[in-house]
C-alpha cells in the first residue's frame, strides 16, 4: 500500500474534495483486501449525483461470476431536471487476485469481464477503520479519477473526477447495503 500523499499525487486532481464520510461503524480489515472484496457481495441501494445536471437512484448487486470475480450490475433511474427520467444500467467485473482488486468493464455481448477500467491502490484512512482506494482510467483525452471510500459492511462511496478538453465534472455515488430480512 502506498502512503496517503503518494496515492493522492498519483491519481487525484488538485481540486479533489471527496464527499463527507458516512457515519458508520466499519469492520477493521487490517490489510486483508480479500475480506474487503468478499464483503462487497450482495445487494446495495445506489444514489448518485451526476455533476450539477442530475441524479440517479437504483439498486446494484455484486454476485459471484467465477472464483475471485464479482459481477456488478446496477439498474435504476436518472433524473435530468424536473421532467426527464431515464432508465439506466451499467455493469462491471471486480477481480481479486493476489491481494489486489481490479475493476473491469463488463462485456455484455460475451457475458464476461472486458477491458481494464482501473486497478485499485489501497490505503487505510487515519483515525478510522475505513479504507480508501484510488484508480485512474484514460479514455482518449479524458481522465476518470476514482476514489472509493469503504466503510463496510454497511456503506461505501465512489467519487469520480472527470477531466478532459470538454469535460469537467464530479460523479458522487453512495452505496448502502440492502439488508435481507
Amino acid at each position: 500500500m502506498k502512503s496517503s500523499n503518494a496515492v493522492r499525487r498519483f491519481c487525484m486532481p488538485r481540486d479533489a474534495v471527496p464527499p463527507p464520510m458516512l457515519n458508520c461503524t466499519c469492520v477493521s480489515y487490517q490489510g486483508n483486501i480479500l475480506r474487503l472484496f468478499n464483503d462487497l457481495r450482495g445487494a446495495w441501494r445506489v444514489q448518485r449525483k451526476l455533476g450539477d445536471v442530475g441524479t440517479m437512484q437504483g439498486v446494484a448487486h455484486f454476485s459471484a461470476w467465477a472464483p475471485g470475480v464479482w459481477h456488478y450490475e446496477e439498474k435504476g433511474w436518472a433524473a435530468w431536471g424536473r421532467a426527464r427520467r431515464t432508465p439506466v444500467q451499467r455493469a462491471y467485473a471486480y477481480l481479486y487476485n493476489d491481494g489486489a482488486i481490479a475493476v473491469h468493464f463488463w462485456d455484455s455481448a460475451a457475458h464476461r469481464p472486458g477491458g481494464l477500467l482501473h486497478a485499485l491502490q489501497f490505503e487505510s484512512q487515519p483515525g478510522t477503520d475505513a479504507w480508501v482506494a484510488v484508480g485512474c482510467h484514460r479514455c482518449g483525452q479524458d481522465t476518470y479519477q476514482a476514489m472509493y471510500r469503504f466503510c463496510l459492511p454497511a456503506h461505501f462511496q465512489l467519487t469520480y473526477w472527470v477531466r478532459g478538453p470538454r469535460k469537467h465534472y464530479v460523479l458522487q455515488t453512495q452505496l448502502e447495503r440492502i439488508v435481507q430480512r
Side-chain angles (χ1 to χ4, degrees):
M1 277 186 284
K2 294 186 176 188
S3 73
S4 297
N5 290 336
V7 170
R8 298 230 191 309
R9 277 195 309 274
F10 167 73
C11 192
M12 294 292 102
R14 291 176 203 251
D15 60 345
V17 178
M21 191 64 183
L22 296 169
N23 291 327
C24 67
T25 302
C26 306
V27 169
S28 178
Y29 290 96
Q30 300 176 342
N32 188 339
I33 304 303
L34 177 58
R35 183 172 174 200
L36 184 147
F37 177 79
N38 286 332
D39 278 351
L40 293 172
R41 188 173 189 173
W44 299 84
R45 186 169 293 105
V46 180
Q47 294 185 324
R48 181 172 296 127
K49 184 177 177 194
L50 306 166
D52 295 329
V53 298
T55 60
M56 180 272 184
Q57 293 186 348
V59 175
H61 295 272
F62 283 92
S63 55
W65 184 78
V69 181
W70 293 145
H71 175 241
Y72 172 88
E73 186 172 30
E74 175 183 292
K75 293 181 180 181
W77 291 89
W80 310 97
R82 290 183 172 183
R84 257 181 63 209
R85 280 178 36 105
T86 309
V88 293
Q89 65 181 29
R90 65 170 61 178
Y92 296 102
Y94 283 66
L95 283 68
Y96 176 84
N97 186 25
D98 197 26
I101 297 174
V103 182
H104 288 251
F105 294 101
W106 185 256
D107 184 336
S108 295
H111 190 67
R112 63 183 174 90
L116 178 67
L117 174 61
H118 50 245
L120 299 183
Q121 296 181 355
F122 281 87
E123 63 183 60
S124 61
Q125 183 132 24
T128 73
D129 287 329
W131 279 77
V132 172
V134 295
C136 294
H137 178 74
R138 296 205 192 294
C139 182
Q141 294 181 322
D142 301 328
T143 302
Y144 295 78
Q145 299 168 305
M147 176 187 281
Y148 294 74
R149 297 172 79 194
F150 296 99
C151 192
L152 298 172
H155 302 276
F156 73 96
Q157 301 169 319
L158 171 57
T159 303
Y160 271 102
W161 288 269
V162 183
R163 303 290 188 264
R166 292 184 296 264
K167 294 182 179 179
H168 190 89
Y169 59 90
V170 178
L171 301 174
Q172 296 177 335
T173 305
Q174 307 277 347
L175 293 102
E176 181 181 344
R177 183 174 302 281
I178 298 172
V179 179
Q180 304 294 328
R181 296 182 201 268

